[in-house]
Amino acid sequence: MQRYTVFLFVLFGLQLSSAQQLLTLEEAIKIALENNFDIQLAKNNLKIDETNNYIGNAGMLPNVSANITDTNSRTNTTQVQGGTERTLNGAKNLNLNYGVSLDWTVFDGLKMFARKEQLNKLEQQGQAELKSAILSKISAVYLAYFDLVQQQQQIKALDTTIVISKERLQTAQNRYSIGKAAKLEVLNAQVDLNTDESLLIQQKEQFKASQIQLNTLLARDVAMEFSVLDALEVDDRLVLDDLKNLAKSQNPQLQAQVLNKNIAELQLKQVKAGRYPTVKVNTGYTVGRTEASLGFITQSQSRGLTYGFSASVPIFQGSQISRNEKIAKLQVTNAEITIKQQELLLESQLQSAYASYLSNKKLVEMEAKNVSIAEQNLDITLAKFKIGTITPVEFRTAQQGFIEAKVRYSNALYQTKIYEISLKELAGSLTF
């Protein structure tokens, strides 16, 4: 019976893989990293943070501008000089200035340095948010993929029981034809076969729905059909203390909150910088030209370098700096509270997931033994059924017990895998 079952599994697997494209977990993860919309958005947000993180955006570079002013006028002018009156209608006047100027803040209470460090932290926060988005979506891909693996195993188990039910029906028909069984036995065998085929149709429908879900996560044609590998292995070496240590340094949500606190502290520094003087240097090169149709000077030109500095010290600004400083301190305090809240939540999630992980590991071991017992029971029952020493009801009970044991074992494996993936996601160690 065992060799027969293995042969059926292999045969069905070959038929399924030949009819549909095989999608490995590694390929699914690669496609998700390239196509998933949430990951693409997180990548673009990180690019925005990277673009913003430069010294000019922190106010460390000078402002250089080219300027030109051209003023023209035509006026009716009357001038009196030494008793002599001069009148000119439509007198043309020109005033032209152009040049290049530089304005550079050289000291602002170290605000620019705090701003640059804040931009660094914002970029790091963007990296943490990208990692969080990737972990979240890759975790979803893991779960969707292994859900398909589980369902594919159940389809194969149902396919196997249909083969057995067909053999039972054929045996019943043979016994009926030679007068060793009643018509009722044939009808019961046919009903049980129809039931198994109905369950297979429902399972295939669920498999298709899960295929659509995974295709959606991969952001590709949702109607694309594929098969998955049969392997569903659980990492049974996870240790809670190791996971906690990893989570403290790698959990992206916790990292983002720590960076948020750093950003709030740097914002406070920028607010405090408003109490210090601001010093600017300026220089420029200017060319000027003036023309007048009437007057003492009808034309003049100038060109040359200008330079100097300016300084300002805030004395009173309606207590605005004090108010902003209080708000900034409260934001730092809130960030500290949020970190503690995130740490407690993380601890709770790890403890809960790890307890479920251990429980389901035990279920896997127990259900594996049940599968072996149910298979032996079915093997013996099938042999007895063929020689007519047990009733069809007893045979059907053994057959259902075998299928139920296979399904429970597959479910226990999948549930354990769910908690394994959840623990690795919380620890920030989920591979992608």
Side-chain angles (χ1 to χ4, degrees), residues 57-80:
N57 198 27
M60 293 182 174
L61 297 180
N63 294 319
V64 180
S65 58
N67 308 292
I68 183 170
T69 303
D70 184 8
T71 304
N72 295 273
S73 65
R74 287 185 177 273
T75 60
N76 297 328
T77 304
T78 300
Q79 294 182 350
V80 178

Side-chain angles (χ1 to χ4, degrees), residues 258-316:
V258 172
L259 288 168
N260 193 49
K261 174 178 174 288
N262 297 149
I263 292 169
E265 291 171 339
L266 290 166
Q267 182 63 36
L268 176 59
K269 284 186 178 181
Q270 293 180 63
V271 172
K272 288 182 176 180
R275 299 184 182 277
Y276 294 91
T278 299
V279 180
K280 297 182 179 181
V281 296
N282 56 78
T283 185
Y285 188 84
T286 305
V287 177
R289 181 183 175 189
T290 302
E291 294 183 0
S293 299
L294 186 65
F296 293 106
I297 302 175
T298 59
Q299 183 176 350
S300 68
Q301 290 185 349
S302 64
R303 65 183 65 211
L305 181 68
T306 60
Y307 55 90
F309 77 94
S310 63
S312 62
V313 180
I315 297 175
F316 181 74

Side-chain angles (χ1 to χ4, degrees), residues 114-258:
R115 173 60 179 164
K116 180 62 176 68
E117 184 62 23
Q118 188 180 52
L119 292 173
N120 292 338
K121 297 299 180 182
L122 285 169
E123 182 179 343
Q124 293 174 25
Q125 192 176 55
Q127 292 170 349
E129 290 170 353
L130 173 60
K131 183 180 179 182
S132 178
I134 290 176
L135 282 175
S136 175
K137 293 306 170 184
I138 295 306
S139 174
V141 171
Y142 266 93
L143 295 176
Y145 187 90
F146 287 118
D147 183 34
L148 284 170
V149 172
Q150 173 208 25
Q151 292 185 43
Q152 189 167 275
Q153 290 175 345
Q154 293 183 11
I155 287 174
K156 291 181 179 181
L158 288 170
D159 189 71
T160 301
T161 198
I162 286 173
V163 173
I164 297 172
S165 294
K166 286 181 178 178
E167 184 178 355
R168 173 193 166 194
L169 176 61
Q170 185 63 49
T171 301
Q173 289 174 339
N174 293 338
R175 292 174 62 183
Y176 174 72
S177 64
I178 61 176
K180 289 188 175 182
K183 182 68 173 178
L184 182 61
E185 181 178 331
V186 177
L187 294 176
N188 286 334
Q190 183 66 62
V191 169
D192 290 338
L193 174 60
N194 292 344
T195 300
D196 294 338
E197 290 178 339
S198 175
L199 290 174
L200 180 60
I201 291 172
Q202 294 175 31
Q203 188 61 53
K204 287 184 176 180
E205 179 185 0
Q206 186 176 349
F207 184 85
K208 179 60 180 177
S210 298
Q211 272 187 333
I212 294 173
Q213 180 184 358
L214 181 54
N215 282 329
T216 303
L217 285 171
L218 302 184
R220 64 178 189 173
D221 183 4
V222 295
M224 183 178 294
E225 295 189 354
F226 57 90
S227 62
V228 294
L229 295 173
D230 287 332
L232 205 167
E233 299 179 357
V234 174
D235 185 353
D236 58 358
R237 299 167 298 175
L238 299 182
V239 179
L240 182 57
D241 289 339
D242 294 341
L243 293 168
K244 288 181 179 179
N245 292 332
L246 286 172
K248 288 179 182 178
S249 60
Q250 295 184 174
N251 180 270
Q253 285 85 11
L254 183 57
Q255 287 180 328
Q257 295 302 334
V258 172

